[in-house]
Amino acid sequence: MTGRRRGTSAGLDRGQIAVAAVALVDRHGLDRFGVRRLADDLGVDPMSIYHHIKGKAALLDAICEAVIAEVELGDDQTTQDWEQAARRTAHSYRQMAYRHPRVFPLLVTRPQSSPVALAVLERLVAAMRRAGLPDQVTADAPVTLFGFLNGYLTAVLSGGPDGPSQMPALDSSAYPTLAAVAHFQADFGSAAEFERLLDTVLCGIRHQAARRSSETP
């Protein structure tokens, strides 16, 4: 193809490809993402991409790694208690999701076992073990925390890049109890709501840790 660079002479590396792929999904969404479109953006032949990343599945994984790398781990991991570590991770993860709402579904639907993803979990688990939390609670905590984060952020970001979806109006005659408390959800998707729900999750982990510690002979 005239004007396109090929092979190793294209001057690409995996990181550059991943960054360009994230930008492409940010603009057009996953439905319109493809290797040929990415190659057009980079000005290379598609085979130049496959030289570094073997197949579309691997490319999607590289996209996930690129956005997870944006989640801050903190500067001094030894001084943070486990709740500080969990809270900072959660807020940084939320900020990343808001920056990349069209990429975020990949994080929910694909296994996240890359080194960058494991580094995020390692920081949280290490902080919990330093705090002396029971190992079962420590093992359950990442599933609990990221189960909440992925489910909540998926719901909030379902409106796409235009912003959080709004809670639907309820028929008070059919759902009187839900309608009675609906005004408490008026801040759906807000930072205040996120902090409130995160507090509930962390309180649950803290309660489980205290309960299991009290059961240990």
Side-chain angles (χ1 to χ4, degrees):
M1 297 181 184
T2 305
R4 293 192 177 193
R5 296 166 290 156
R6 298 180 61 89
T8 55
S9 63
L12 294 176
D13 61 35
R14 191 176 189 276
Q16 291 171 323
I17 294 169
V19 169
V22 170
L24 184 58
V25 177
D26 282 343
R27 292 197 307 273
H28 300 297
L30 287 167
D31 290 344
R32 298 180 62 190
F33 176 76
V35 176
R36 288 189 176 277
R37 186 183 290 266
L38 178 60
D40 287 342
D41 272 17
L42 289 167
V44 300
D45 186 273
M47 293 309 297
S48 297
I49 294 173
Y50 289 128
H51 177 80
H52 297 280
I53 300 178
K54 308 300 183 183
K56 187 173 180 179
L59 185 55
L60 295 178
D61 289 338
I63 291 172
C64 292
E65 291 174 42
V67 296
I68 292 174
E70 297 179 15
V71 178
E72 296 180 11
L73 298 182
D75 297 325
D76 188 351
Q77 299 179 28
T78 62
T79 59
Q80 289 185 314
D81 66 28
W82 75 265
E83 288 198 50
Q84 287 177 323
R87 198 174 294 278
R88 179 172 181 134
T89 299
H91 279 280
S92 185
Y93 192 78
R94 175 180 180 268
Q95 291 160 6
M96 175 273 293
Y98 270 70
R99 286 193 297 271
H100 306 289
R102 287 172 161 165
V103 174
F104 187 73
L106 283 178
L107 303 185
V108 179
T109 57
R110 298 185 69 79
Q112 301 304 322
S113 56
S114 67
V116 291
L118 294 177
V120 173
L121 299 181
E122 174 68 18
R123 171 184 171 273
L124 175 60
V125 170
M128 298 185 81
R129 294 205 83 188
R130 285 196 302 270
L133 271 64
D135 281 347
Q136 186 63 67
V137 176
T138 298
D140 291 343
V143 179
T144 303
L145 179 61
F146 282 92
F148 156 66
L149 291 173
N150 287 336
Y152 175 76
L153 291 170
T154 296
V156 169
L157 296 174
S158 62
D162 295 331
S165 299
Q166 298 300 311
M167 297 297 287
L170 292 170
D171 180 350
S172 59
S173 62
Y175 312 105
T177 309
L178 290 176
V181 298
H183 66 283
F184 289 107
Q185 296 178 314
D187 61 348
F188 179 67
S190 69
E193 182 195 49
F194 180 78
E195 186 69 25
R196 192 168 65 243
L197 297 179
L198 179 60
D199 280 342
T200 301
V201 172
L202 297 182
C203 181
I205 295 173
R206 193 164 58 243
H207 173 76
Q208 280 293 92
R211 186 177 67 83
R212 285 190 172 270
S213 294
S214 69
E215 292 173 353
T216 303

